Amino acid sequence: MRWSKALIPTLKETPADAVAPSHQLLLRAGMVRQLGAGAYSYLPIGFRVLHKVVQIVREEMDAAGALELLMPALQPIELWKESGRYETFGDLLMQLKTSSAQHFALGPTHEEVCTDIVRDLIRSYKQLPVTLYQIQTKFRDEPRPRFGILRTREFIMKDAYSFDADIEQLNASYDAMYEAYCRIFDRCGIPYAIVEAESGPIGGDSSHEFMVPSSTGEDTIIQCPACSYAANKERAEIGAGTATAPPIDPAAPAFEAVETPNRRTIEEVCDFLKVEKASSAKLLVFLADGKPVAVLIRGDHEANEAKVRRAFGASSLTQPDAATVEKATGAPIGFLGPVDLKIPLAVDRSVALMPSVVVGGNKIDVHLKGVIPGRDFALDKVLDLRDAVAGDPCPRCGEKMVENQGIEVGHVFKLGTKYSKAMGAHFLDDKGHEIAVIMGCYGIGVNRIVAAAVEAGHDANGIIWPLALAPYHVLIAPLQLTNPAVMEAAETLETSLQAAGYDVLVDDRDQRPGVKFKDADLIGIPLRVVISERGLKDGTIEVKWRTDATAHNISAATANEAILAELETTRKGMETLASERKISRSASRGK
RNA sequence: CGGGGCGUAGCGCAGCCUGGCUAGCGCGCCUGCCUUGGGAGCAGGAGGUCGUGGGUUCGAAUCCCGCCGCCCCGACCA
């Protein structure tokens, strides 16, 4: 491709609206343009990157035995009512009505459609297992699109659905997708961490997220620096630690009730009573399967609803309204406490370790000071009930864990029979019994990989694409367009690299060298080859990798072969890395 | 949805507070000269419903009200 014939509208200045590095650089490099909030056009070279991601995803999904199909984005709303997600998806579901008043949703994901296909077409265990996938535009009415192409209302997702006859088959399908995802991100050349994610009622290790570490990431991941434990904040368990509850001092005075007029939040109460937030505790009331229950969490901690739900063995956990809370506890929200509480109570471990604590008095405008856990309220049910934070002990090895931000680029999930039961997707087993098919779902955010690659690969001058995702592998920059020797050398090199299967961009613009160098760095082409009068006079051509600080000269006479050799070395290096990781993964599974 | 900010040429901005001549500047774009290894220089030029609707006024980019859009923080994100 000749730059003069391409559409690469690079920008010298950063558009004011862009804040995230990936957003700024993709705009400046002429890869994307914004149409509206959460809606972006991919300009030619941005689209080339997107397409490279799609290609890698497709190859690895095919290699994993998944079957590609294409389902409609336009879906009858009845399907969503059938699965029950018309309610649970809520406002996030993009809806529209046709002129004849038919009600549709624009698919945010395709469990329903895919299950519908399978309930019609799969009748026998002999047809299982099967994994179907598609690469398609999804729609979500995001309340707040942000960070350029990182969170948009319309985005491209690879979504796959596995259908299995039993748990063993499900586990095999899941493992195959997990492995395929590792291959995909390895081949894309982006850094990633695999973390345990909240898995819903199935529990266990049935959900993993693939995260690209980045300060612009919207997800928080908790990692152990010592062992391999990693989980997102919603999921992360907290180790029991070695600390034990202090013995109760028999001489300790009874707790004291204090007036705290209109102080409702932890912040207000602690300010008023001049105590640290970590010396207070908050009582939160939930409805576990409809019944009121309470948890006591340290003032500076956050309750984790999944942990609370499991603590009470409930399948659903909701937040009650203010009136229900008052009826259950006898006090308005803001003054709740564990002393003389009438509903079931679970206490977070960190509260149980406190020698004394400030809590609500279960009476309006009253808090209690000097309340002693185990004396003034029971410690029958002490559990891990809160979100993990940096410094908490690892559940595996006890080491202090750290917190990092990440961009979720992939998610694998064992669904079980949620959709197959709701929608009647059954098959007959070898004994003639009708059984609900067991499902898994697996998503990859294609646009997000592009954004994450830029977040992970850029410097002050612009984007640094991994070779596998770059819109062009090589940029050839002839500096003197009127010099026939320069142009001939550029064309010869272009032809030979293209013949070897590389994508080549020739900057044939009549621009000063500085302009070409700045643009080359900005759009992030991995290998830059400069051909100039000066160099040719010395018999050399200049080669510079985007990742290197400096260029090196090679002999013009053997430039084609030498450049091809450098490209091959880099490409093979990435392949070797990917296969080494694959080997180490299968080795660690064998353990 | 709550809080904050912004909307003037393709991009970045000034002008607005304190209303008044033809709405400016830099980058980019077009023409010419010149220059050619890290976003050159000179000269000439094109390009604007000042987001939008209303109001106040002799007069509105500027003041007032409504609406729309965009960005950031938060809430939300099976």
Side-chain angles (χ1 to χ4, degrees), chain A residues 260-280:
Chain A
T260 50
N262 225 18
R263 295 343 191 254
R264 291 165 189 277
T265 65
I266 288 289
E267 191 95 43
E268 289 164 355
V269 172
C270 291
D271 274 358
F272 183 70
L273 297 177
K274 303 212 167 30
V275 295
E276 293 296 313
K277 282 204 269 184
S279 307
S280 70

Side-chain angles (χ1 to χ4, degrees), chain A residues 113-123 128 130 132 161 163 425-426 437:
Chain A
V113 179
C114 206
T115 306
D116 177 69
I117 288 171
V118 165
R119 71 178 163 186
D120 283 351
L121 304 182
I122 305 286
R123 301 261 97 133
L128 299 174
V130 63
L132 303 171
Y161 308 91
F163 300 90
H426 305 297
V437 63

Side-chain angles (χ1 to χ4, degrees), chain A residues 43-279:
Chain A
L43 300 181
I45 63 167
F47 184 62
R48 286 183 70 90
V49 177
L50 202 58
H51 194 254
K52 294 214 172 179
V53 175
V54 165
Q55 200 49 40
I56 290 170
V57 169
R58 179 171 284 135
E59 286 172 15
E60 293 301 330
M61 294 302 290
D62 289 346
L67 307 172
E68 185 170 14
L69 45 57
L70 183 63
M71 294 178 269
L74 198 61
Q75 307 172 2
I77 204 75
E78 285 72 24
L79 212 47
W80 287 81
K81 292 185 170 162
E82 197 177 346
S83 70
R85 286 164 111 197
Y86 180 70
E87 283 75 28
T88 53
F89 238 94
D91 291 338
L92 216 53
L93 192 64
M94 199 84 84
Q95 299 180 46
L96 58 94
K97 288 204 168 104
T98 63
S99 55
S100 56
Q102 291 179 81
H103 193 172
F104 285 96
L106 291 176
T109 172
H110 281 68
E111 281 82 0
E112 281 81 359
V113 179
C114 206
T115 306
D116 177 69
I117 288 171
V118 165
R119 71 178 163 186
D120 283 351
L121 304 182
I122 305 286
R123 301 261 97 133
S124 157
Y125 72 97
K126 293 174 189 167
Q127 294 171 287
L128 299 174
V130 63
T131 296
L132 303 171
Y133 82 97
Q134 64 174 347
I135 297 168
Q136 194 228 26
T137 299
K138 309 286 188 212
F139 299 86
R140 291 188 190 184
D141 193 354
E142 289 290 348
R144 192 178 154 204
R146 64 181 128 180
F147 302 141
I149 62 169
L150 212 51
R151 183 169 213 85
T152 51
R153 293 204 167 106
E154 180 183 332
F155 55 95
I156 297 170
M157 189 161 123
K158 185 289 300 173
D159 50 323
Y161 308 91
S162 64
F163 300 90
D164 296 290
D166 55 41
I167 293 293
E168 287 68 37
Q169 279 188 9
L170 170 66
N171 290 341
S173 297
Y174 185 88
D175 291 347
M177 285 296 109
Y178 184 107
E179 175 62 24
Y181 276 35
C182 293
R183 290 273 307 159
I184 287 166
F185 299 121
D186 283 342
R187 280 186 61 189
C188 284
I190 56 174
Y192 64 98
I194 303 170
V195 309
E196 292 183 12
E198 193 44 57
S199 50
I202 287 193
D205 61 346
S206 61
S207 176
H208 291 89
E209 288 172 345
F210 292 73
M211 300 278 197
V212 176
S214 164
S215 54
T216 38
E218 296 178 287
D219 294 279
T220 303
I221 60 188
I222 305 282
Q223 286 168 298
C224 174
C227 71
S228 63
Y229 185 76
N232 73 19
K233 198 175 176 98
E234 288 72 50
R235 169 70 188 177
E237 296 164 39
I238 301 166
T242 48
T244 51
I248 295 166
D249 177 4
F255 61 79
E256 171 194 359
V258 288
E259 294 279 322
T260 50
N262 225 18
R263 295 343 191 254
R264 291 165 189 277
T265 65
I266 288 289
E267 191 95 43
E268 289 164 355
V269 172
C270 291
D271 274 358
F272 183 70
L273 297 177
K274 303 212 167 30
V275 295
E276 293 296 313
K277 282 204 269 184
S279 307

Side-chain angles (χ1 to χ4, degrees), chain A residues 490-504:
Chain A
E491 278 162 30
T492 307
L493 180 59
E494 178 190 20
T495 308
S496 94
L497 292 176
Q498 279 176 341
Y502 288 100
D503 299 330
V504 183

Side-chain angles (χ1 to χ4, degrees), chain A residues 285-295 303-320:
Chain A
V285 177
F286 293 94
L287 295 175
D289 291 335
K291 293 193 182 72
V293 296
V295 294
N304 180 298
E305 294 199 12
K307 292 177 181 177
V308 174
R309 182 177 57 72
R310 284 192 289 270
F312 291 98
S315 58
S316 84
L317 192 80
T318 52
Q319 297 205 359

